[in-house]
Amino acid sequence: MGTNDQSEQTPEELQRAALLEEIAKPQYYNNRELSWLAFNERVLEEAEDEENPLLERLKFLAIFSSNLDEFFMVRVAGLQDQVRADFHKPENKSGLTPKEQLAKIAERTQALVRRQTEVYRYLIDECLPKENVFIKDFKDLQVEQKRYITELFEETIFPVLTPVAVDAYRPFPTLLGKTLNLLVMLEKNNNDAEHTTKVAIVQVPSVLDRFIKVPTKDNRTMFVLLEDVITSHIDHLFYGYKVKSSQAFRLTRNADLTIHEEGAQDLLSEIEKELKKRKWGVGSRLEVRDGEMKDDVLDYLLDEFEISESDVFKIDGPLDLTFMFPFVKTISVGLEHLQYESFIPQPPQDLDSDENIFEKALVQDLFFHHPYESFVPIVDFIMEAANDPSVLAIKQTLYRVSGNSPIIQALKQAAENGKQVTVLVELKARFDEENNVHWAKLLEQAGCLVIYGMNNLKTHSKITLVVRRRHGKIERFVHLGTGNYNDATAKIYTDMAIITSNKEFGIDATNFFNYLSGYTEKPEFHHLVVAPFDIRDEFIQLIDEEIECHKRHGNGFIRAKMNSLTDKDLMMKLYEASIAGVKIELIIRGICCIRPGVQGISENITVTSIVGRFLEHSRIFWFHHNGENKVFLSSADMMTRNMIKRVEILFPVYSPEIKNRIIKIMQLQFEDNQKARIQDSNGKYHYKEDHNGNKKINSQEIFLQEAIGQPTEE
C-alpha cells in the first residue's frame, strides 16, 4: 500500500491536506494580468487627482501609456502566442485560460483607455488653457499661423517624409513597433482613368518633435501635433492623386526575446541578434483614431497585421500619449508652480558630509533611504575605492544602469588604476538589453572582468564588494540594496540599502561572487539568503515560526512591502498564517494575486498599494517573532520568477538603530491615507475611508519634509 494512502495519515495530516486543497482554489486569487491592470488604473487615478499639480497629472498620463505599451509587448503578446499555439490550460492561480484572460484584459483595457482619453481632453482643453497653453488642431489656426506652419512643413518636415506606395511591386512595409503611421487612401486624379483606390503609408518621423510651436501675438503658448500637420498637407506627397482619407494608426509588437541559452556559444552576440528581431515581432495591438477609420480600411490593416478586431483600440484623441513627457519638459519653464516642488536628495543620516564612508563603515553599519537620502555617497563609495591605493578588488552586479552612469565611470577608473574589477552585467534585463551590451563592452575595453550571469537565470541581486588591505590585514566592505545601481532612477524610486564591514557578510559576498563567476555549488552562507529556491524556503520557515509564536504568545504578525506578490506557494503559506490568527499587513505597489478579507481564509490579511510621486520599490520583510522583530531587505519580490528563475539576495538587518528606522518607515506608510489604496475581498482597490479626513497623511511627503529637516504635523 502506498505511503500516501489516507488510512496511514494522522488526523493532523488529513486536516492539513484538506486545508491546502481549500486554500488552493481559484476564487481566493486575483489574476496576475488583471491585477497589473488594476495597478495601472491607480496610475491613471493620479492623473485624475486634482490634488496633484497639473503638469504632474500630464506625466501620469504618459506613464500610464508607457506601462500599457510594455504590457502589450510582453504579457498580452505572450498570451496571444499561447492561443495561437492552441494552448488552453488554465493558469494555476485564478484558473483562467489564455483566451479567457485576453477577453477580460481587452474589456478592462478598453474602459481604462477611454478614461485616459477623457482625462487628456479635460487637462488639455480645460486646464492648460487657464495657464495660456494650448494644443490646437491645424484647421483651427488663424490664417497667418497656418501660413507659418505650411512654410515650416515645406522646409523642415516634407524633406524627412517618405511616402510608401503599396501595390503588386511594393508590398505593405514592415513597420517598426510603436511608431506612429498614416494610412493614406488615394484615387487617380483623372476623370478618364479608372477610380481604383490606391494605398500608401507615411510614417510620422520620430526624429522630429511630436508637437510644433505656433507663433502668437499675445502671451499664449500654442502647439499643433506633428501628425495633424502632416495630414493637413498630405496632398503635397501625392501629386496627381486625390487623397480620399489619411488615418493615423500605431502597431504594438511582441517584444519578448527568445534566447536559447543552452546552445549559445556567446550570449552577448546572441542577444545582439535577438535585439534586431525584436523590432519586427508579431502584432499584439492596433491603435487607431476613433471615428476616422472606415471599416473597410480597418479590415485592410487587420488583414495585413494578422490580428483580430478585439486587439483594436479606437481612441478619441491623439495616439501614444508618451509624448507628454517631452511636452511637459518643454512648457515647464515659467510653470514651475504646476509641478512638484523641487527636491534635492539629502545627505544620509548615518554619514556626515565630512566623514569618510569607509572609516565610518568600520565603526557601524550605514543605512540609506533613497530618494530622500542621496545616492551620491554610493557613487562616492565606488569612486573612492577606485582611487584608494589600499583597495585590491571591486566586485559588483549591474542590472539596470543610467545612460551616462557614474558607476560605470568609477569601475572603469578602478580597472585603469590596476584594481581587480569584476562586474556581472545582466544582459537579459528586459528593455535594457541593448544598454547593458553597450556597458559590458566598454567595461571589458577598460580592463574589467565582465561576466554575464548564470545559465537560464537572471541575476537581479544588488551587491558590491570592496576588498581593501590595510596594515597587513584584509578588510571587506559590502553594499547591499533593494534597488539598481542607477543614479537616475535613485531620484524617483524609493529604495533602501546598507553598507557593512561585518566580516561574515564580507565572506558571504566573496563566496557569492565566486558562485556567480565559477564552477561551484551554491555555498553555505552565514547571513545572505540566495535565490533560486533558498529565499522561498526561508520565507516559508519564517512564516511557520510566526505561526508557532502566535500559538504560544498570541501576538503574531507579519508586515511586508514589495512590488508584486504572485508566488502561489508563499500565498498559500500566508493564508495558513492568517487562518492561524497571525495578522498580516502587506504594502504591494503593483501586482497582487492574494485576496485579503475573505472570511475564514484571509480576514487577517490587509493589502495596501501606495502610488504617488515616487515609485515604491523597496522590499522589506518584518516578522514580529514575539518582539524579536526579524527584519530583512531584499532585491526580490514574492514572485515565482524571483524565487526560482533569478539570482536574488535576502539579507537580515541586525543594527537595532537601522531596524528601528525601517520599522518606523513602514509604520508611517501603513498610516498613509492620501496615496494609499486598500484592496477589498473582491480584489478591487479603494482609497481609505479617511482619504479626505481632517488629518492627511502622505507618507512620501512626510519623508521629504523629514529629510530636509522640516517639522511635520503631529
Side-chain angles (χ1 to χ4, degrees):
M1 189 176 291
T3 56
N4 291 328
D5 193 297
Q6 288 194 357
S7 63
E8 295 187 12
Q9 292 182 292
T10 65
E12 291 79 10
E13 289 172 334
L14 288 170
Q15 186 178 10
R16 175 167 166 72
L19 173 65
L20 293 178
E21 184 178 357
E22 176 63 23
I23 62 179
K25 290 180 179 178
Q27 63 260 36
Y28 302 131
Y29 299 91
N30 300 316
N31 175 263
R32 184 195 195 283
E33 316 307 344
L34 297 179
S35 182
W36 184 90
L37 283 173
F39 156 67
N40 211 29
E41 181 178 12
R42 297 193 288 280
V43 173
L44 183 57
E45 286 175 350
E46 292 300 306
E48 295 171 326
D49 189 348
E50 294 186 356
E51 293 290 318
N52 288 327
L54 175 56
L55 298 190
E56 303 298 340
R57 295 171 70 184
L58 291 171
K59 284 195 279 188
F60 276 115
L61 285 180
I63 295 169
F64 176 89
S65 287
S66 178
N67 288 347
L68 208 55
D69 281 348
E70 185 171 332
F71 181 64
F72 273 86
M73 290 161 67
V74 178
R75 302 302 305 182
V76 173
L79 289 170
Q80 291 169 337
D81 282 347
Q82 292 180 34
V83 171
R84 279 189 285 267
D86 209 25
F87 181 85
H88 304 297
K89 184 179 178 181
E91 52 99 13
N92 77 331
K93 288 183 279 289
S94 65
L96 297 174
T97 66
K99 188 172 288 188
E100 289 170 336
Q101 292 181 71
L102 286 172
K104 288 180 178 293
I105 287 168
E107 179 184 9
R108 191 77 196 96
T109 308
Q110 293 283 7
L112 288 174
V113 169
R114 284 194 294 271
R115 260 174 73 183
Q116 182 197 25
T117 304
E118 289 171 4
V119 177
Y120 172 83
R121 287 291 186 201
Y122 173 69
L123 297 180
I124 296 299
D125 296 343
E126 302 292 333
C127 299
L128 268 185
K130 294 176 182 177
E131 307 298 332
N132 279 324
V133 179
F134 303 81
I135 294 181
K136 292 282 192 179
D137 291 338
F138 177 80
K139 63 182 176 57
D140 295 329
L141 298 180
Q142 296 176 358
V143 174
E144 291 182 5
Q145 292 172 325
K146 286 182 178 179
R147 186 180 300 117
Y148 169 84
I149 294 297
T150 297
E151 290 175 359
L152 185 72
F153 173 83
E154 292 173 348
E155 293 177 6
T156 306
I157 301 172
F158 181 79
V160 183
L161 299 177
T162 304
V164 178
V166 179
D167 54 30
Y169 299 96
R170 293 162 291 194
F172 196 97
T174 303
L175 302 172
L176 281 171
K178 296 198 300 179
T179 55
L180 190 58
N181 297 274
L182 301 175
L183 181 68
V184 187
M185 310 301 286
L186 305 157
E187 276 184 358
K188 185 69 176 176
N189 195 9
N190 186 335
N191 294 329
D192 297 330
E194 289 186 31
H195 288 276
T196 304
T197 299
K198 304 290 185 182
V199 178
I201 302 293
V202 178
Q203 188 168 102
V204 178
S206 58
V207 294
L208 300 178
D209 288 337
R210 181 80 184 277
F211 44 90
I212 301 167
K213 192 169 185 179
V214 180
T216 61
K217 293 182 178 179
D218 48 29
N219 62 349
R220 293 184 300 168
T221 303
M222 189 177 295
F223 299 90
V224 289
L225 295 182
L226 177 59
E227 63 267 29
D228 181 25
V229 173
I230 296 172
T231 299
S232 300
H233 297 81
I234 198 72
D235 56 321
H236 292 218
L237 295 168
F238 301 101
Y239 288 113
Y241 285 83
K242 177 184 177 182
V243 176
K244 294 175 63 179
S245 64
S246 174
Q247 299 145 343
F249 70 93
R250 181 174 183 259
L251 181 69
T252 309
R253 294 184 179 275
N254 185 333
D256 215 6
L257 300 186
T258 304
I259 303 165
H260 303 288
E261 295 181 51
E262 298 291 350
Q265 297 296 312
D266 184 342
L267 184 62
L268 188 143
S269 62
E270 186 78 13
I271 286 177
E272 286 184 301
K273 284 189 286 186
E274 286 296 320
L275 285 171
K276 293 176 183 177
K277 297 179 187 177
R278 169 181 275 172
K279 301 172 183 178
W280 320 116
V282 176
S284 61
R285 174 185 59 166
L286 178 65
E287 298 168 279
V288 300
R289 288 291 297 264
D290 189 25
E292 288 188 1
M293 189 164 286
K294 296 179 180 178
D295 290 342
D296 58 335
V297 179
L298 180 58
D299 290 341
Y300 174 79
L301 285 178
L302 294 180
D303 184 58
E304 285 293 338
F305 297 137
E306 299 181 336
I307 60 176
S308 65
E309 195 166 349
S310 61
D311 301 318
V312 176
F313 288 79
K314 297 178 180 180
I315 298 171
D316 184 22
L319 309 182
D320 185 17
L321 294 187
T322 58
F323 82 87
M324 284 289 107
F325 286 127
F327 178 72
V328 166
K329 189 174 182 180
T330 296
I331 66 173
S332 61
V333 177
L335 297 177
E336 288 81 7
H337 61 289
L338 299 178
Q339 294 182 285
Y340 289 131
E341 190 174 339
S342 61
F343 167 73
I344 299 174
Q346 300 297 296
Q349 288 186 27
D350 286 352
L351 193 67
D352 292 335
S353 58
D354 59 345
E355 286 185 298
N356 180 277
I357 197 166
F358 289 94
E359 300 312 308
K360 189 67 176 287
L362 287 171
V363 177
Q364 66 178 67
D365 290 349
L366 307 177
F367 177 70
F368 304 87
H369 188 199
H370 311 299
Y372 314 104
E373 295 181 341
S374 175
F375 190 73
V376 171
I378 311 304
V379 176
D380 291 345
F381 174 65
I382 310 296
M383 187 58 77
E384 286 180 31
N387 293 308
D388 185 344
S390 301
V391 168
L392 304 177
I394 302 173
K395 302 184 180 186
Q396 187 170 38
T397 57
L398 295 179
Y399 191 75
R400 300 186 195 276
V401 293
S402 63
N404 188 24
S405 171
I407 294 284
I408 297 289
Q409 301 307 318
L411 292 170
K412 289 170 59 181
Q413 182 70 45
E416 290 163 2
N417 288 344
K419 316 295 182 190
Q420 180 68 38
V421 180
T422 304
V423 187
L424 186 144
V425 179
E426 181 47 74
L427 297 180
K428 295 170 287 183
R430 182 175 286 139
F431 299 121
D432 268 328
E433 300 98 340
E434 189 170 2
N435 194 40
N436 287 2
V437 165
H438 168 72
W439 290 129
K441 290 179 176 179
L442 279 183
L443 289 168
E444 284 179 337
Q445 291 167 4
C448 301
L449 174 62
V450 179
I451 54 178
Y452 304 134
M454 305 182 77
N455 195 27
N456 293 314
L457 297 172
K458 284 186 182 180
T459 302
H460 189 248
S461 46
K462 328 295 183 184
I463 182 171
T464 301
L465 169 66
V466 174
V467 181
R468 184 170 77 171
R469 182 170 58 202
R470 205 170 58 144
H471 308 308
K473 292 183 178 180
I474 291 293
E475 297 170 338
R476 284 182 264 212
F477 301 86
V478 182
H479 176 275
L480 289 158
T482 66
N484 298 307
Y485 290 105
N486 187 317
D487 58 296
T489 58
K491 296 174 184 176
I492 54 175
Y493 287 18
T494 73
D495 275 304
M496 294 180 175
I498 63 167
I499 290 178
T500 182
S501 63
N502 180 294
K503 290 183 180 179
E504 290 185 341
F505 272 83
I507 293 169
D508 280 357
T510 299
N511 291 336
F512 175 78
F513 279 103
N514 290 343
Y515 167 57
L516 292 182
S517 64
Y519 289 113
T520 179
E521 295 293 321
K522 188 190 294 183
E524 292 292 326
F525 295 103
H526 294 94
H527 304 288
L528 302 186
V529 185
V530 177
F533 302 111
D534 287 0
I535 293 180
R536 179 195 271 166
D537 292 345
E538 181 75 9
F539 280 145
I540 288 173
Q541 181 178 328
L542 287 163
I543 297 169
D544 279 335
E545 289 175 359
E546 200 62 37
I547 293 172
E548 290 304 313
C549 275
H550 184 74
K551 288 177 180 177
R552 292 196 300 271
H553 307 287
N555 59 1
F557 76 76
I558 298 167
R559 282 182 164 179
K561 178 177 183 286
M562 63 198 94
N563 298 328
S564 299
L565 171 58
T566 68
D567 187 78
K568 192 167 185 179
D569 289 349
L570 292 175
M571 289 189 289
M572 288 177 66
K573 182 58 66 175
L574 290 171
Y575 281 152
E576 281 190 68
S578 171
I579 292 167
V582 177
K583 299 293 183 184
I584 300 164
E585 297 178 307
L586 306 173
I587 297 177
I588 301 171
R589 183 197 79 228
I591 302 165
C592 179
C593 294
I594 206 167
R595 191 168 283 190
V598 179
Q599 190 171 359
I601 301 293
S602 59
E603 66 261 45
N604 287 314
I605 300 177
T606 63
V607 174
T608 300
S609 174
I610 296 175
V611 177
R613 173 175 181 172
F614 301 121
L615 185 86
E616 293 290 340
H617 194 254
S618 49
R619 290 92 167 188
I620 310 166
F621 304 94
W622 169 18
F623 301 86
H624 181 247
H625 212 73
N626 193 36
E628 186 179 338
N629 288 326
K630 294 186 175 183
V631 176
F632 300 82
L633 300 177
S634 183
S635 58
D637 294 307
M638 284 185 172
M639 300 181 76
T640 302
R641 71 184 188 188
N642 299 89
M643 297 297 104
I644 68 174
K645 296 180 180 179
R646 291 187 173 190
V647 179
E648 305 272 13
I649 293 176
L650 173 77
F651 59 96
V653 177
Y654 292 135
S655 162
E657 293 78 16
I658 295 175
K659 190 183 293 187
N660 288 337
R661 275 193 69 189
I662 293 172
I663 287 173
K664 182 182 177 184
I665 288 167
M666 287 198 77
Q667 287 173 331
L668 181 60
Q669 293 217 284
F670 279 110
E671 295 172 7
D672 193 308
N673 60 15
Q674 295 301 295
K675 297 302 179 183
R677 285 80 154 177
I678 304 297
Q679 187 193 154
D680 65 23
S681 58
N682 295 314
K684 305 293 184 183
Y685 284 82
H686 312 274
Y687 283 106
K688 286 188 176 181
E689 289 182 3
D690 56 353
H691 176 60
N692 294 312
N694 293 326
K695 185 178 181 182
K696 295 184 177 182
I697 301 174
N698 181 332
S699 57
Q700 292 186 353
E701 187 61 35
I702 291 172
F703 294 142
L704 280 178
Q705 292 173 3
E706 289 178 345
I708 60 178
Q710 287 186 0
T712 56
E713 293 183 9
E714 294 296 329

